[in-house]
């Protein structure tokens, strides 16, 4: 059986992640309630730089990556529309989406999208 916290990297690109990001990813995988994380590129098409957790493997991981990128883009576009274009520099910092079973937390920055899938019922 595969380790649910095994880390994978994209074979198509090699990205060097900053030490503080490495520390954050290590900390995330140590929490029992974290089902997995995805570190995604901000480019088009979005690519999976790294992931942890079986939920983000294979085709399912690609679906999550695409959906996360669309969610971030849609929210950013909506914010620009409601601000009348006056939100220069007011980018999304953090999003939290909760369903009955899971919670997904998304933290976009200039280079990456970090998404964490969390089971809120696990303490």
């Amino acid at each position: 059986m595969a380790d649910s916290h095994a880390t994978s990297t994209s074979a198509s690109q090699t990205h060097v992640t900053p030490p503080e990001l490495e520390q954050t990813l290590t900390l995330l995988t140590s929490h029992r309630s974290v089902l997995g994380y995805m570190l995604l590129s901000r480019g088009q098409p979005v690519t999976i730089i790294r992931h942890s957790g079986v939920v983000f493997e294979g085709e399912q991981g690609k679906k999550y990556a695409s959906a996360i990128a669309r969610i971030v883009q849609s929210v950013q576009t909506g914010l620009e529309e409601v601000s009348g274009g006056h939100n220069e520099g007011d980018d999304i910092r953090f999003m939290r989406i909760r369903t009955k079973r899971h919670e997904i937390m998304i933290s976009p920055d200039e280079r990456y999208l970090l998404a964490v899938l969390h089971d809120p019922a696990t303490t």
Side-chain angles (χ1 to χ4, degrees):
M1 186 162 134
D3 179 356
S4 66
H5 291 296
T7 302
S8 297
T9 55
S10 172
S12 63
Q13 290 181 318
T14 302
H15 289 271
V16 177
T17 52
E20 60 274 7
L21 180 56
E22 288 293 335
Q23 186 177 15
T24 299
L25 297 177
T26 300
L27 183 63
L28 285 171
T29 58
S30 70
H31 290 279
R32 286 185 335 141
S33 64
V34 172
L35 302 174
Y37 72 79
M38 293 186 93
L39 183 63
L40 308 172
S41 69
R42 288 299 298 255
Q44 289 296 329
V46 66
T47 57
I48 301 170
I49 297 170
R50 197 165 167 177
H51 78 277
S52 172
V54 295
V55 70
F56 291 137
E57 290 181 357
E59 287 302 311
Q60 185 71 9
K62 291 177 185 176
K63 288 178 185 178
Y64 266 103
S66 178
I68 290 164
R70 284 193 317 268
I71 289 167
V72 171
Q73 184 59 48
S74 179
V75 170
Q76 187 66 47
T77 300
L79 290 173
E80 290 167 4
E81 287 175 4
V82 298
S83 69
H86 300 298
N87 70 333
E88 186 67 31
D90 194 17
D91 294 327
I92 301 165
R93 301 260 178 146
F94 188 78
M95 289 189 284
R96 188 176 217 147
I97 302 167
R98 187 160 182 177
T99 67
K100 286 183 180 182
R101 293 184 359 193
H102 296 116
E103 184 172 51
I104 191 159
M105 296 167 282
I106 305 169
S107 180
D109 82 354
E110 293 173 2
R111 296 175 295 175
Y112 307 110
L113 293 174
L114 175 61
V116 178
L117 187 65
H118 163 72
D119 180 357
T122 304
T123 56

